[in-house]
């Protein structure tokens, strides 16, 4: 069953009317309502297109968090064959907020790492709502080091509200783990591509996104803090999250303009949650293009190019 966001109510009403007519036609009373249904569908599609052409930053935040939006497991299943997950950081334990392993992307061996939020109560709890703990980032480091050793490209799929802020995570060295993971990504001598598929929350995201190419889905967000967190700090009022979202410049369009990311992957009309497979296919094409741009570069060139990319951020604003 499709879930609608508040600003999608006009679309919901039109689609509900079309569904009612379909149900009436399906009763077999000999009544043909195809023309009316077609008009309603066309009107709903146009309204949806108009809405998504002018989304506010806060509305994009809601879309990025949509419960039916494709998650890492969906991208992995759609793009990676022969996927073999690896678990544990070899120091403390397993963290299922970060899933990683090795497989093949369009026939070529790759290392794949992603943050998984889960899509049911059970899986969300198991994956800690996509908020990694230190052992998750140390697992990511272990995987990137293996990829570097065997000369494999690394793909990451970012989707987290942020690193887990609990006491136990701080006790086990959350900040150090994030820093080590970021360092490992920056030092990779193989091509790396990061794609923000939903939320890119602060250090929790950058720890697996310091890549040679950083891309975002059209309606994803990427920020140093959540809009609610920023509103709480600035105005002591989380109700002003919409104002914070606008001021923080967290959308893919803003971040491309500022040179923070390298490419925007277009989503189907109405967002990735309306046609997950189409979104995943477009993401695959973008990843393939990014890897193609990096093919043939030496390890030294890859490291130097990546360093230049991140050092240039903010210098030309």
């Amino acid at each position: 069953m499709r879930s609608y966001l508040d600003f999608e109510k006009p679309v919901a009403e039109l689609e509900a009317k079309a569904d009612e007519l379909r149900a009436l036609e399906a009763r077999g009373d000999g009544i043909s309502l195809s023309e009316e249904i077609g008009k309603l569908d066309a009107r709903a599609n146009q309204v949806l297109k108009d809405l998504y052409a002018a989304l506010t930053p806060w509305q994009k935040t809601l879309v990025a968090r949509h419960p039916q939006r494709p998650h890492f497991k969906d991208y992995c299943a759609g793009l990676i064959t022969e996927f073999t997950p690896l678990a544990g950081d070899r120091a403390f334990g397993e963290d299922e907020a970060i899933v990683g392993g090795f497989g093949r992307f369009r026939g070529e061996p790759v290392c794949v790492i992603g943050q998984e939020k889960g899509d049911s109560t059970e899986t969300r709890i198991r994956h800690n709502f996509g908020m990694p703990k230190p052992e998750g980032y140390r697992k990511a480091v272990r995987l990137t080091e293996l990829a570097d050793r065997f000369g494999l490209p690394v793909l990451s799929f970012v989707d987290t509200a942020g690193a887990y802020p609990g006491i136990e995570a701080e006790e086990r060295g959350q900040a150090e783990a994030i820093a080590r993971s970021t360092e490992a990504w920056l030092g990779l001598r193989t091509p790396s591509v990061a794609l923000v598929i939903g939320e890119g929350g602060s250090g929790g995201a950058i720890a697996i996104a310091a890549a040679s190419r950083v891309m975002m889905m059209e309606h994803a967000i990427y920020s140093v803090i959540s809009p609610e967190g920023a509103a709480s700090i600035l105005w002591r009022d989380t109700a002003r999250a919409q104002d914070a979202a606008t001021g923080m410049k967290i959308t893919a369009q803003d971040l491309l303009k500022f040179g923070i990311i390298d490419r925007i992957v277009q989503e189907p009309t109405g967002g990735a949650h309306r046609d997950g497979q189409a979104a995943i296919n477009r993401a695959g094409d973008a990843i393939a293009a990014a890897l193609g741009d990096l093919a043939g570069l030496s390890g030294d060139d890859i490291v130097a190019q990546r360093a230049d990319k991140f050092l240039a951020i903010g210098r030309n604003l």
Side-chain angles (χ1 to χ4, degrees):
M1 184 175 179
R2 178 168 290 150
S3 175
Y4 293 92
L5 299 169
D6 285 344
F7 68 85
E8 293 178 319
K9 285 182 179 178
V11 180
E13 292 171 357
L14 289 168
E15 291 186 339
K17 290 178 182 177
D19 289 340
E20 288 177 6
L21 293 182
R22 287 191 183 92
L24 183 61
E25 188 178 44
R27 291 177 184 174
D29 295 333
I31 301 174
S32 177
L33 300 172
S34 300
E35 185 176 350
E36 290 77 6
I37 292 171
K39 289 179 180 179
L40 284 171
D41 285 340
R43 177 60 180 158
N45 289 333
Q46 186 59 50
V47 171
L48 188 69
K49 185 176 180 180
D50 293 342
L51 282 174
Y52 274 77
L55 291 181
T56 67
W58 177 246
Q59 288 171 334
K60 283 184 176 286
T61 301
L62 298 178
V63 175
R65 295 171 176 173
H66 197 287
Q68 294 174 334
R69 193 173 176 85
H71 292 164
F72 167 68
K73 66 179 180 62
D74 302 307
Y75 284 87
C76 188
L79 299 176
I80 308 300
T81 58
E82 301 178 35
F83 179 64
T84 302
L86 298 183
D89 66 344
R90 300 299 187 266
F92 178 81
E94 165 67 343
D95 178 11
E96 293 192 61
I98 288 184
V99 179
F102 295 85
R104 292 184 182 274
F105 172 71
R106 299 191 174 180
E108 298 299 321
V110 294
C111 174
V112 188
I113 299 171
Q115 289 152 334
E116 175 59 43
K117 287 182 172 181
D119 54 12
S120 67
T121 300
E122 180 185 354
T123 57
R124 284 171 185 143
I125 292 172
R126 186 171 77 243
H127 293 290
N128 200 34
F129 299 88
M131 296 186 292
K133 298 175 182 177
E135 50 270 25
Y137 293 114
R138 291 179 179 129
K139 175 172 65 177
V141 170
R142 185 167 75 88
L143 293 175
T144 55
E145 288 177 347
L146 279 173
D148 208 15
R149 184 183 307 169
F150 293 104
L152 301 179
V154 182
L155 310 181
S156 74
F157 296 83
V158 178
D159 190 14
T160 180
Y164 182 63
I167 293 175
E168 65 268 35
E170 296 299 328
E171 290 175 339
R172 295 199 293 272
Q174 183 72 289
E176 184 268 348
I178 290 173
R180 293 290 184 188
S181 183
T182 306
E183 179 185 39
W185 276 80
L186 290 173
L188 268 172
R189 295 175 61 82
T190 61
S192 55
V193 179
L195 175 64
V196 183
I197 59 176
E199 290 185 276
S202 192
I206 194 66
I208 63 167
S212 302
R213 296 289 184 273
V214 181
M215 306 184 295
M216 291 178 66
M217 298 302 291
E218 181 182 4
H219 302 307
I221 60 170
Y222 195 13
S223 62
V224 71
I225 191 173
S226 69
E228 294 90 342
S232 178
I233 292 171
L234 293 174
W235 300 294
R236 299 187 182 278
D237 182 5
T238 56
R240 297 191 64 178
Q242 296 187 40
D243 296 329
T246 301
M248 289 165 61
K249 307 298 182 185
I250 62 178
T251 69
Q253 293 72 23
D254 284 327
L255 295 172
L256 180 65
K257 181 173 64 177
F258 294 145
I260 308 297
I261 64 171
D262 302 294
R263 178 173 174 174
I264 297 173
V265 180
Q266 298 298 315
E267 297 185 22
T269 300
H273 56 279
R274 280 196 161 245
D275 191 344
Q277 191 56 55
I280 291 168
N281 291 341
R282 294 178 185 182
D285 291 340
I287 291 170
L291 290 176
D293 291 341
L294 298 166
L297 295 178
S298 68
D300 289 340
D301 289 340
I302 288 172
V303 173
Q305 189 181 97
R306 190 185 296 119
D308 290 342
K309 165 187 167 58
F310 281 94
L311 289 172
I313 291 176
R315 291 183 174 179
N316 300 313
L317 298 180

